[in-house]
Amino acid sequence: MELGLIGLGRMGTHMAQRLLRHHHAVVAFDIDARAVHALTDEGARGAASVLELVQALKPPRAIWLMIPAGLVDQTIAEVAPLLTSGDILIDGGNSFYQDDQRRAAALEPQGIHYVDVGTSGGVFGLERGYCLMIGGPQAVCSRLTPIFEALAPGRDSVARTGARRSDAQISAEAGYLYCGPSGAGHFVKMVHNGIEYGLMAAYAEGFNLLRHANVGSKPVASNAETTPLREPDAYRYDLPVADIAEVWRRGSVVSSWLLDLAADALARDPDLGDFHGRVSDSGEGRWTLLAAIESGTPAPTLASALFARFDSRGESDYARRILSALRSEFGGHAEQSGDHP
C-alpha cells in the first residue's frame, strides 16, 4: 500500500522504516530536508514540500501526520485544499480527542476522511512495533488495515491471553484496535498516557523509598523544628537499588516494560546523575483528568501523578514559601535548611 508521511521525528522516521520493511511505498516530507534524504536512502520517495508529497500519491490518497499536536491544525489547513474526495488524513500524534471530532466534521463536506490513531511505542517501535488505537469511520479505517498490520507488533509479540477462545482472533491481539468514531482512538490513547503517568510515579516513589532506607545511618539535625527519627535502627539498609530493579524484572507481579527501562537506566548510573528531576507533561495527563472530572469518574492516582510533575518543575515553590511564612507567623517557627543534610 502507498502512504504519505508528514513528520520524520524519532517516531515518524522509525514508522516509515517499518513500513518499508513490510514492502509498503512511502512518500515522506519533513521541514528538515536531511531527515527526508536519510529516508530516501532506505527506499522511500522524498518530497520537498507538502504539495510535492500530495502530487506524488495516487488517489485515493492516505496521508499520515506524525507531528506535535500544536501543529496539526495548521498542517491540515495546508494539506486539505490539495486533496480530493475520498482521500484520508490520519493523525498519529497525541491530539486532544475533541479536536479530532472538530476536524472530522470540518473535512467531511470536502469528502476527506479523517482518522485518529493513538500510537504508542516510542523510540523502540521500529523493532517492537506500535500499539495502535484507532478512531474514525469504520469502513475507512478498514481500508488502512495493511498499514496498521505492518506497524503493529503482530500476534506473536506476547503470549495469548489464556481466557480467550483459540478460534476467536481479534485485531487487538495483533496490536491494533478500531475503538470507535472520530476521537475514540485518541481518547483511548489519552487514558493510556494518564495510566502511564501513574505507573511511572509509582515506580519513582517506590525506588525513592528504597534509596532512603538507610536514613537511620545518617546524621539528623537536632533542633526544635525537626521531628526526630523514632527508630533509627529500623532504617539502616544500604539497598542495591539497581539490583532490586533487576530482580523485580523476573517473576515479580510489578514487572513491566517500564521496569525494564528503569533497570537499564539504574544499571548505567544508580545515582541518575544526568537527570535533574524536572518532568514535563505533553497534555494527555491533563486531558485525562478533565475527562475524569467531566464524567464524574474518580482518578486520584492519575491526578496525583500529574500534580507531581507540576511539582517537579518548581510550580510548588511559592506555595512552600507560604507554608514557611505561616509557620513563622503563627508559631515563630524558624525555617530550617533541611532535616536530613
Side-chain angles (χ1 to χ4, degrees), residues 1-8 12-30 33-48 52-53 56-57:
M1 187 172 176
E2 185 180 63
L3 182 74
L5 182 61
I6 297 177
L8 301 177
T13 294
H14 285 173
M15 290 169 67
Q17 291 170 328
R18 190 170 174 90
L19 289 169
L20 291 169
R21 288 182 182 181
H22 286 77
H23 309 295
H24 292 287
V26 176
V27 181
F29 168 72
D30 191 274
R34 293 170 299 178
V36 178
H37 293 152
L39 204 55
T40 58
D41 291 340
E42 300 192 39
R45 179 174 176 182
E52 187 175 318
L53 178 139
L57 296 168

Side-chain angles (χ1 to χ4, degrees), residues 1-6 15-16 19-20 22-28 43-47 52-65 83-84 86-90 140 143-148 150-151:
M1 187 172 176
E2 185 180 63
L3 182 74
L5 182 61
I6 297 177
M15 290 169 67
L19 289 169
L20 291 169
H22 286 77
H23 309 295
H24 292 287
V26 176
V27 181
R45 179 174 176 182
E52 187 175 318
L53 178 139
V54 172
Q55 291 176 337
L57 296 168
K58 298 175 183 177
R61 306 170 184 88
I63 299 175
W64 190 301
L65 308 181
L83 302 181
T84 56
D87 288 348
I88 305 172
L89 267 180
I90 308 152
V140 174
R143 286 165 49 188
L144 298 168
T145 295
I147 297 296
F148 299 145
L151 291 173

Side-chain angles (χ1 to χ4, degrees), residues 200-220:
M200 292 171 70
Y203 281 125
E205 292 176 11
F207 282 117
N208 196 33
L209 183 56
L210 292 171
R211 186 175 173 83
H212 285 85
N214 65 349
V215 66
S217 301
K218 295 183 177 181
V220 180

